[in-house]
Amino acid sequence: MVNSGYFATAVLAMTLSSLVLEGWVLPVYLLTELILFDVMLILSGRARATNTNNNIGITDFFRFEWLSLAFFPMLSTRQEFGAGGAICSRFVCFRLVLGTLVSFYCASAGTGGINLESDTVLVLATVAAAMTVLGLTLVVVFSSDHNRWTFYKTKYTPMQYFDHYILDSPPLDFCFSSRDELIAHIIIGFNSYYWKGHYEEFQKWCLSLKIEDALFLNGNKVLDGVIALKGQNWESAFARIRYRFEYFQNEELGRKLKIHFDQILGDLAIRGADDEERKTRATKVLSGLKQKSQREDDVIATLLEEIERLKEEIEALRGDAN
């Protein structure tokens, strides 16, 4: 309901404005809106897209949050590491009101090349806006108390969000089972710009990793708790971590990380080979036990057949004696 109504409002307003207003109005407005949206993100501590590469790119300007909110009030954009609830809620309300007003204005000025009556356009715009408002109201009302504030309020910037989870050490949520999984996910999954305040701490964490840590329980496979690379191998994860640290342009640290990670990968390979050898030996032993058990079963079956044959002979002799 929410997405359908919001999408209908946006498409109807853009279509009518492109047909009724001057041709330059819509693209100039969208560009201006994008620039102002980027300025709001910068002022709120969100200057970079969270999961982009180290270098500034096109996605840092054409933000995913704006591209999605332009047509859909996607709930994921309200998170602290996205645009935040405050910006998202205000932008959605602004776009909804503006889209409805534009549709009303264009309907009163004429619907251009669309074969629709003005009254029909007014009804469509009103129904779409009403659906969106009703849907958003239901979503907020029936949300849990734990999540309701995220629809209209922002408590942290992404940097403060990471500080909260790393320094304040609240109970882990989502699918993290250890702080090692959380830190690995932050380093791999988020632009270094957002965790540069923990640069010293994270480099010490990387250089203190040992093959005995719970992070390597699955061998060379990354644990599911490291959401950014779950199911992949540690070779890919270590390469991504080293790339994230290149943001700080510390060649000495890059060399240390390469040596340390190569050592861990080598230990993982040895442990994997040892585990495979143990599995092979265990398989051979189990196979031998099964064969031995089968032979014993065959002997027992032969003995039982012999006993049955002897019973039959004894019965036959008794019958002859009688």
Side-chain angles (χ1 to χ4, degrees):
M1 181 184 293
V2 178
N3 287 336
S4 299
Y6 191 82
F7 179 75
T9 300
V11 171
L12 184 61
M14 289 184 181
T15 303
L16 290 173
S17 62
S18 64
L19 293 172
V20 176
L21 304 178
E22 296 290 336
W24 57 268
V25 174
L26 181 59
V28 169
Y29 166 75
L30 291 176
L31 179 60
T32 304
E33 181 185 83
L34 172 60
I35 293 173
L36 292 176
F37 189 86
D38 287 341
V39 170
M40 286 193 297
L41 291 179
I42 292 172
L43 294 177
S44 65
R46 295 168 169 82
R48 300 290 306 276
T50 53
N51 59 350
T52 54
N53 294 327
N54 292 341
N55 298 324
I56 296 177
I58 191 68
T59 53
D60 292 310
F61 178 70
F62 288 99
R63 297 293 291 268
F64 164 77
E65 294 88 344
W66 178 79
L67 292 172
S68 60
L69 290 174
F71 295 98
F72 298 104
M74 292 188 66
L75 300 181
S76 60
T77 58
R78 79 187 195 281
Q79 300 297 339
E80 304 295 329
F81 45 80
I87 292 178
C88 283
S89 60
R90 288 159 176 77
F91 185 84
V92 168
C93 292
F94 168 75
R95 261 309 192 98
L96 184 62
V97 172
L98 179 65
T100 304
L101 292 177
V102 168
S103 296
F104 284 180
Y105 172 78
C106 292
S108 63
T111 55
I114 299 180
N115 189 21
L116 287 176
E117 296 293 336
S118 297
D119 292 343
T120 304
V121 173
L122 292 175
V123 171
L124 290 175
T126 303
V127 170
M131 287 177 57
T132 307
V133 172
L134 177 60
L136 288 173
T137 302
L138 292 175
V139 169
V140 174
V141 169
F142 289 101
S143 296
S144 65
D145 295 337
H146 178 70
N147 290 322
R148 186 175 294 113
W149 63 270
T150 62
F151 289 98
Y152 54 84
K153 185 178 179 181
T154 302
K155 289 185 177 180
Y156 310 106
T157 66
M159 292 182 183
Q160 292 169 340
Y161 184 82
F162 294 145
D163 290 344
H164 171 64
Y165 273 93
I166 295 170
L167 300 179
D168 299 342
S169 298
L172 294 170
D173 54 9
F174 302 113
C175 68
F176 302 119
S177 59
S178 69
R179 300 231 161 257
D180 284 343
E181 290 181 355
L182 171 63
I183 293 174
H185 172 68
I186 290 175
I187 295 176
I188 296 170
F190 292 89
N191 193 294
S192 309
Y193 167 84
Y194 288 109
W195 52 263
K196 59 186 177 183
H198 298 281
Y199 166 71
E200 296 288 343
E201 179 183 355
F202 283 178
Q203 68 164 313
K204 291 179 181 177
W205 176 83
C206 289
L207 294 173
S208 66
L209 288 174
K210 303 182 298 295
I211 192 175
E212 294 81 11
D213 294 338
L215 206 57
F216 303 105
L217 282 177
N218 283 354
N220 195 36
K221 183 181 178 182
V222 179
L223 296 176
D224 289 346
V226 186
I227 308 170
L229 278 179
K230 74 173 185 178
Q232 300 188 38
N233 57 52
W234 276 108
E235 185 176 0
S236 299
F238 286 151
R240 189 66 177 168
I241 291 174
R242 287 172 51 206
Y243 173 75
R244 287 301 191 193
F245 275 97
E246 290 178 5
Y247 176 87
F248 304 100
Q249 300 180 352
N250 188 334
E251 294 183 1
E252 178 64 18
L253 175 61
R255 185 184 63 81
K256 290 181 180 179
L257 289 175
K258 184 178 187 307
I259 294 173
H260 186 65
F261 290 160
D262 286 347
Q263 179 63 46
I264 293 177
L265 290 174
D267 293 341
L268 287 174
I270 293 173
R271 188 171 74 179
D274 291 342
D275 291 343
E276 191 64 32
E277 185 179 350
R278 283 194 290 270
K279 288 180 182 178
T280 302
R281 289 203 302 267
T283 301
K284 289 181 179 179
V285 171
L286 182 61
S287 177
L289 291 174
K290 286 183 178 179
Q291 292 178 358
K292 181 179 179 182
S293 176
Q294 184 63 44
R295 288 196 298 269
E296 292 175 350
D297 290 342
D298 292 341
V299 171
I300 292 172
T302 301
L303 291 174
L304 289 175
E305 291 176 358
E306 185 65 21
I307 290 172
E308 291 297 327
R309 188 182 63 78
L310 290 174
K311 284 182 179 180
E312 292 175 357
E313 290 181 358
I314 291 172
E315 292 295 331
L317 291 173
R318 286 178 179 176
D320 294 342
N322 293 332

